[in-house]
């Protein structure tokens, strides 16, 4: 059974989450009666924690506005969540360009933990392995990320200085709709009011961002993530690929995600066998074709290459190599050893 001190700290954590908490809710969360809740509140007040009493039908208790907690207090699960979040965020490219920030933050958290807990969490982090190495990430400057995030939240126009992939530099105004993190990179999507068209920019290519006076009304039902994925899938590249693939959209997306390909379901032809699912037209724009035959093979669905001819040649070459490999036999006495299995 939790001790009274632990329950008082839990009460403080509940109040820290914001808003007004009524007595009945707090009593239920703490597994005590309402009279005991009021006694715990008085304990916090005696410790100079500014707990306010709110009267009325929706009354209860809340922390005074602007109150900041003294030294950080984390449970075992909370400390583990913070440290794992820092590690995962760094590997996923979700940090700013202040490269050491996540490492110094993790070090500070570990330094204030009790020795017992610090050793246990250190064992988790030291023994943690990932099935894939860190992806190539392009982290933005915090002086760019923070003002753009503020502009998104308050629907304010922002002026940016941008360097395109080909080195061209420009200064433009943007009505930003949202920030999107994708494949180790940060993007902002919105409308360029000067030309009245949607635009998506990589944050690591923005040299400066300034919030401008005024405001704008974003379109209803906007989906910034879908805008970024659609923009990436339709961006100009060296090769334009068009395929027809039979299967469900979910099956196709396992190898050709939304940031890479666009899908359009095709009408069923009279007399066609639809037992294996509908046919989709799939369009991609890619710099290289060498990886695509392997993805189509791994997809294991019927497909037709509409263009380019070079892809058809590459798929046929891969099929020949696989057939030749399948016809090879080992020397006499050779054995095939089963792969290790996972329990």
């Amino acid at each position: 059974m939790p001790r009274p001190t632990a329950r008082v700290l839990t009460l403080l954590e509940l109040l820290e989450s914001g808003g007004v908490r009524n007595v009945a809710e707090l009593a239920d969360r703490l597994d005590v009666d309402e009279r005991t809740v009021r006694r715990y509140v008085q304990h916090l007040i005696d410790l100079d924690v500014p707990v306010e009493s709110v009267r009325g039908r929706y009354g209860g208790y809340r922390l005074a506005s602007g109150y900041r907690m003294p030294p950080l207090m984390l449970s075992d699960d909370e400390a583990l969540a913070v440290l794992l979040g820092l590690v995962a965020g760094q590997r996923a490219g979700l940090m700013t360009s202040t490269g050491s920030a996540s490492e110094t933050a993790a070090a500070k958290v570990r330094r204030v933990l009790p020795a017992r807990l610090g050793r246990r969490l250190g064992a988790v982090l030291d023994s943690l392995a990932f099935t894939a190495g860190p992806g190539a990430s392009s982290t933005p400057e915090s002086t760019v990320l923070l003002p753009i995030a503020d502009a998104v939240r308050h629907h304010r126009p922002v002026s940016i200085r941008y360097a395109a992939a080909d080195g061209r530099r420009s200064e433009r105004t943007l009505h930003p709709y949202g920030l999107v993190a994708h494949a180790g990179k940060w993007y902002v999507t919105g409308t360029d009011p000067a030309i009245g068209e949607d635009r998506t920019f990589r944050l690591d290519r923005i040299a400066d961002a300034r919030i401008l006076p005024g405001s704008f009304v974003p379109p209803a039902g906007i989906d910034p993530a879908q805008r970024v994925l659609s923009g990436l899938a339709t961006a100009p590249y060296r090769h334009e690929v068009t395929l027809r693939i039979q299967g469900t959209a979910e099956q196709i997306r396992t190898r050709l995600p939304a940031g890479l390909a666009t899908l359009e379901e095709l009408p069923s032809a009279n007399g066609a066998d639809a037992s294996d699912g509908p046919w989709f037209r799939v369009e991609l724009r890619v710099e290289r074709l060498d990886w695509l035959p392997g993805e189509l093979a791994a997809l294991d669905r019927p497909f037709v290459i509409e263009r380019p001819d070079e892809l058809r040649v590459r798929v046929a070459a891969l099929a020949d190599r696989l057939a030749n490999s399948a016809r090879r036999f080992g020397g006499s006495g050779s054995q095939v050893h089963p792969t290790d299995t996972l329990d």
Side-chain angles (χ1 to χ4, degrees), residues 32-101:
V32 296
D33 57 36
E34 296 186 6
R35 181 179 179 183
T36 303
V37 170
R38 295 186 177 90
R39 188 169 71 249
Y40 289 167
V41 169
Q42 187 58 49
H43 287 333
L44 292 177
I45 294 174
D46 292 341
L47 294 170
D48 294 326
V49 177
V51 181
E52 296 179 340
S53 177
V54 179
R55 297 184 179 278
R57 179 181 178 184
Y58 301 104
Y61 294 105
R62 68 184 177 193
L63 287 182
S65 178
Y67 174 71
R68 298 177 64 88
M69 277 290 294
L72 188 66
M73 293 182 293
L74 296 174
S75 68
D76 292 16
D77 288 342
E78 290 170 337
L80 181 59
V82 169
L83 292 175
L84 290 180
L86 289 170
V87 172
Q90 185 178 32
R91 293 179 66 89
L94 298 180
M95 301 296 174
T96 63
S97 60
T98 309
S100 61

Side-chain angles (χ1 to χ4, degrees), residues 81-317:
V82 169
L83 292 175
L84 290 180
L86 289 170
V87 172
Q90 185 178 32
R91 293 179 66 89
L94 298 180
M95 301 296 174
T96 63
S97 60
T98 309
S100 61
S102 61
E103 296 177 3
T104 56
K108 288 178 181 179
V109 172
R110 296 178 71 169
R111 190 163 57 245
V112 300
L113 294 175
R116 174 195 60 80
L117 180 55
R119 287 193 298 269
R120 294 179 64 189
L121 297 184
V124 173
L125 297 178
D126 293 342
S127 61
L128 183 62
F130 293 86
T131 57
S137 61
S138 302
T139 52
E141 297 283 349
S142 58
T143 53
V144 170
L145 176 62
L146 295 180
I148 290 180
D150 189 61
V152 169
R153 182 174 186 178
H154 296 100
H155 310 315
R156 302 279 300 277
V158 62
S159 173
I160 62 173
R161 287 193 293 115
Y162 191 72
D166 59 6
R168 289 182 295 113
R169 298 181 181 276
S170 62
E171 184 167 348
R172 58 187 75 194
T173 297
L174 181 70
H175 289 175
Y177 300 148
L179 289 167
V180 179
H182 172 69
K185 297 178 177 61
W186 288 79
Y187 299 87
V188 58
T189 183
T191 293
D192 185 335
I195 59 176
E197 294 182 1
D198 293 341
R199 286 291 183 265
T200 295
F201 300 98
R202 272 178 46 176
L203 262 63
D204 60 296
R205 292 179 178 164
I206 298 177
D208 180 61
R210 294 181 294 107
I211 297 178
L212 300 175
S215 61
F216 65 90
V217 178
I222 194 74
D223 186 344
Q226 187 56 47
R227 285 197 173 205
V228 169
L229 292 176
S230 297
L232 293 175
T234 57
Y237 285 95
R238 180 180 176 186
H239 299 283
E240 294 188 359
V241 178
T242 304
L243 310 163
R244 296 199 308 273
I245 301 178
Q246 187 179 26
T248 65
E250 292 76 15
Q251 290 170 328
I252 298 172
R253 286 297 187 207
T254 60
R255 310 305 301 188
L256 303 173
L260 181 64
T262 62
L263 304 185
E264 177 191 0
E265 186 171 350
L266 299 174
S268 300
N270 292 333
D273 182 8
S275 59
D276 288 333
W279 282 85
F280 283 84
R281 174 164 283 111
V282 181
E283 295 185 349
L284 306 86
R285 290 170 170 83
V286 296
E287 286 295 324
R288 302 188 347 260
L289 294 173
D290 54 349
W291 59 274
L292 194 48
E295 293 299 315
L296 293 174
L299 186 58
D300 195 26
R301 303 299 306 168
F303 67 89
V304 176
I305 300 172
E306 294 187 353
R307 63 172 178 167
D309 290 338
E310 181 183 347
L311 178 59
R312 190 175 291 106
V313 173
R314 288 179 175 272
V315 170

